[in-house]
Amino acid sequence: MPILAVLVILIVEICVFNLPFWSTLSASTDTSSATNTLGSGLSRTSSGALKVTDPTTAWLEVTADGSSPYARIDPSGTSSRSTSADKDDGDLVSTVHVRLDSDGAAGRARSIDITVPRSRYLKTTATHTIKLWIQEPKGTVVPISAIRANVHVPFQVSPARLAIIAVIMLLVAVWRPGSRWWSIEVDPRSRLQRGGLIGACLLLVAVCLAAVVRQLLFPGLLSFHAPGGYVYDFNQYGHVAESLAKGRAWLDLPVPDELVSASNPYDPQVRERLLNEGVTPIYWDYAFHNGHWYSYFGVIPAVVLFLPYHLISRLWIDGGGSLASSAAVPILLTVFLILDIRLVLLLLRRIRPHASVAAATISITVSVIGSGAAYLWYQNDFYSVPLAFSLVLSTAGLLLWFTAATDSGSMGRLTARWGDAPAVSLPRVAAGSLLMAANLGSRPSFVLFALLAIPIFHRQLSCIASHDPERAARPLPRRLLTLAAVSALPALLVAIPLGWYNLVRFGSPIDFGVNYQLTVVDMTSYSTPLANILPMLGYYLFLPFHTIDTFPWLATSPTPLPYWGYTEPLTMGLFVAAPAIMLCLAAPAMRRRWRTNGMWPFLVACTLLGLAMVLLDILKGGLGWRYMSDFGWILSLPAVCALTGLLSDAGTRMDAGTSMGMGISGEAGKGLTTMRQARLRGMEVVLLRGAVLLLVLWTIGAALWSMLVIGRDNSLIRSAPAVFHTLQSWFLPWL
């Protein structure tokens, strides 16, 4: 099997992705094809680059003999950051939008990156003439020397592409219907399984460390400002940390007097007028109140991560440095992923003690991707920090609560038992309550997940509220005092400082400053129109994907609304991107299956809280890609439990049918009938596992491929054009 997998990988790499090489072996590589005719809209600079003077006639033309289906753009000797170009060159660009016409027939428009050699090959059907259009604005200087026809595409082996193909092959091998992983049960005592789990976690840590070190050594720009526009400063948590270090509640940022004296600074039209008058700086998406700038994002991530870094960095940076959000997000997500793996395995052990390794790894994958971790890791700006931090808090809180209950007969000083309910570890309950309450200082909406304590501890709570002396076991005042000490007191330890912090900033302990943000609308008076709620709900969950005929062949889908509302470009809804999560809707109907293990109330509560979070996001935030992390993770928990149950039931039926067929095979007629039934059940299991495999591969592909979509926020073609065009060039045969 390994040899066959290696052969498949090599065939795909050598024969499929290198089709341009094989199809151009007979190319004439005519040297005369480098002689280009320039349109009047292009002029040659002294450095050899081309300057667009008239976009309507900005083209290069060359003859072709049809011996090769590819043409190549030759770069000039000037790079995009060269300082040797003459003064008339202006700023050179490395990413260029072009269109290649073949024998007068218009081709497809696409972008290339001069710094990526394989990106400069363009497909053509020309047998006489090739015309390359430079589709850039007037004044743009592009480092292009010529377009050359009749070229031979070189052979290329990409290690990164080989690695990706190998990973896909590995996933297919371990999750295919006949894989041994379906017959191996999850066993926490297995050294091999524990070693594999530890190895996976160490790999995550290694990737995290690489990402953090890269961001610390090569930090990107944190502030962007164009004349006459807003200041886009992505160092909000760094500014909060600096202010806390100085004992201030407000951010130490300059405030224009004109903004302070404006009639309504929250009105976008008022701010546009100020910007047109040259008033600066006006910070985008910062909270402005009583003449000071604030951050309306939760302060706890700043206290836990950004403030310690700021103070420690004073050892080598005068005044202290700022931890980049792009370094904090990988740390938080790595912790979350490890905790989520632990939580999913714990849930599956309670739902299906004998679940297979294949079903468990599929469930972990669905939960991780459903949480939006891939999006948050890719986006990794300050918007991702509170979401990632609250995912860590909530997952850790649930783990502490689930592991608090014990049926152990030994009752320590820090263990309590009420009536016939299992004993609980009071420190674990209190720590879980503290973490859940800490969501108020990170992503406040996540505090709703504290309600999950009710189904988790429903037996203990029932005994505490009971009037039956034998069942309650302790006097009512003592029961309530213990309950308050392990739940309410830890929550107050977080809520009181946060309330004081809000009171100092905005005059109310429950005002987090959201309504004072300077953004696309006046948040002090805006409310989501009721007519927008149902369409947004449909978009969040069921928005279909939209394909196009150019790379990456996936585009953002339109999301029209009856009335204006905040919308961010999305590629697809949660249930379309991760179809298995739709199984969460089946949780209410699973009472008979989950009643015996006591998990039904918890999993139904997860579904209800997830749907409530969707509505809350619609009302308070609108339609945003990152908001899917608010509800995707919590909805994935009942979904993976239902999925594992479905797969386990199918496997059990197949095993039972096979055993029955073998047991009575001596009875000719009945044995044949039973064997046919066993084969049918086996086919059903194969089809089910095959369908699940395809759905999970789709889920992984949708999460990763969405990163390439043009038009999304922080699109890869703008943030890392060389990476985008390298990936694009892998698919040269189909461009």
Side-chain angles (χ1 to χ4, degrees), residues 13-101:
E13 176 67 16
I14 294 172
C15 299
V16 178
F17 284 104
N18 274 287
L19 276 175
F21 167 79
W22 302 109
S23 64
T24 57
L25 288 175
S26 59
S28 67
T29 62
D30 185 8
T31 55
S32 64
S33 68
T35 304
N36 288 182
T37 302
L38 297 185
S40 60
L42 292 176
S43 63
R44 184 81 64 180
T45 68
S46 60
S47 62
L50 295 175
K51 185 173 185 178
V52 179
T53 57
D54 182 0
T56 62
T57 54
W59 48 262
L60 301 88
E61 191 174 70
V62 68
T63 58
D65 60 19
S67 61
S68 170
Y70 289 93
R72 184 185 70 233
I73 295 175
D74 289 342
S76 65
T78 306
S79 69
S80 61
R81 291 178 175 84
S82 175
T83 58
S84 61
D86 57 42
K87 295 180 180 179
D88 293 333
D89 281 2
D91 293 328
L92 289 142
V93 296
S94 62
T95 300
V96 186
H97 294 84
V98 299
R99 192 189 79 208
L100 189 68
D101 293 354

Side-chain angles (χ1 to χ4, degrees), residues 342-612:
R342 176 76 177 90
L343 178 62
V344 170
L345 291 176
L346 185 150
L347 293 177
L348 296 188
R349 190 161 64 247
R350 296 196 175 195
I351 292 292
R352 288 286 174 177
H354 305 291
S356 67
V357 173
T361 51
I362 285 175
S363 296
I364 290 170
T365 303
V366 170
S367 178
V368 167
I369 296 180
S371 70
Y375 173 86
L376 297 177
W377 193 299
Y378 170 83
Q379 195 73 15
N380 73 20
D381 56 18
F382 73 96
Y383 289 108
S384 297
V385 171
L387 285 163
F389 200 91
S390 278
L391 284 172
V392 171
L393 294 174
S394 302
T395 311
L398 289 182
L399 277 172
L400 287 168
W401 282 345
F402 270 119
T403 57
T406 174
D407 286 312
S408 174
S410 59
M411 293 288 293
R413 293 179 58 185
L414 298 179
T415 304
R417 183 190 296 275
W418 294 277
D420 57 357
V424 294
S425 166
L426 297 181
R428 286 179 179 268
V429 176
S433 300
L434 181 72
L435 293 176
M436 284 295 188
N439 281 313
L440 283 171
S442 179
R443 185 75 172 169
S445 56
F446 271 68
V447 80
L448 285 176
F449 298 152
L451 295 174
L452 293 173
I454 298 174
I456 292 175
F457 298 112
H458 67 279
R459 291 180 62 184
Q460 290 82 3
L461 293 172
S462 176
C463 289
I464 291 173
S466 176
H467 295 288
D468 185 349
E470 294 184 1
R471 189 163 185 236
R474 295 183 181 183
L476 180 60
R478 188 176 176 183
R479 282 178 271 157
L480 295 179
L481 184 61
T482 304
L483 179 63
V486 298
S487 58
L489 183 58
L492 289 176
L493 291 177
V494 175
I496 291 176
L498 286 176
W500 174 83
Y501 184 64
N502 288 337
L503 182 66
V504 171
R505 296 190 304 163
F506 306 116
S508 171
I510 60 173
D511 191 345
F512 291 86
V514 175
N515 291 335
Y516 304 120
Q517 58 180 293
L518 301 189
T519 182
V520 293
V521 68
D522 184 350
M523 292 297 296
T524 61
S525 59
Y526 175 77
S527 61
T528 300
L530 295 179
N532 286 354
I533 293 178
L534 193 58
M536 283 187 175
L537 180 63
Y539 296 149
Y540 266 131
L541 300 179
F542 300 104
L543 180 68
F545 61 87
H546 175 60
T547 59
I548 54 177
D549 60 356
T550 57
F551 184 86
W553 302 294
L554 181 66
T556 57
S557 293
T559 53
L561 296 171
Y563 300 97
W564 184 92
Y566 173 76
T567 58
E568 180 184 332
L570 304 179
T571 56
M572 59 192 86
L574 177 65
F575 291 164
V576 177
I581 297 183
M582 199 183 306
L583 289 173
C584 70
L585 301 177
M590 304 291 283
R591 182 174 183 177
R592 292 182 61 185
R593 291 175 177 266
W594 293 341
R595 181 176 52 188
T596 55
N597 50 48
M599 293 297 293
W600 182 74
F602 169 78
L603 295 173
V604 171
C606 287
T607 299
L608 296 178
L609 285 175
L611 296 177

Side-chain angles (χ1 to χ4, degrees), residues 98-145:
V98 299
R99 192 189 79 208
L100 189 68
D101 293 354
S102 303
D103 295 334
R108 293 179 179 175
R110 55 170 281 198
S111 62
I112 64 166
D113 193 302
I114 299 298
T115 64
V116 180
R118 208 170 183 83
S119 170
R120 295 186 274 108
Y121 287 88
L122 305 175
K123 211 165 187 179
T124 178
T125 58
T127 57
H128 301 289
T129 305
I130 288 176
K131 181 178 286 188
L132 178 72
W133 288 86
I134 309 297
Q135 298 183 317
E136 295 291 342
K138 181 179 180 180
T140 303
V141 180
V142 295
I144 291 178
S145 171

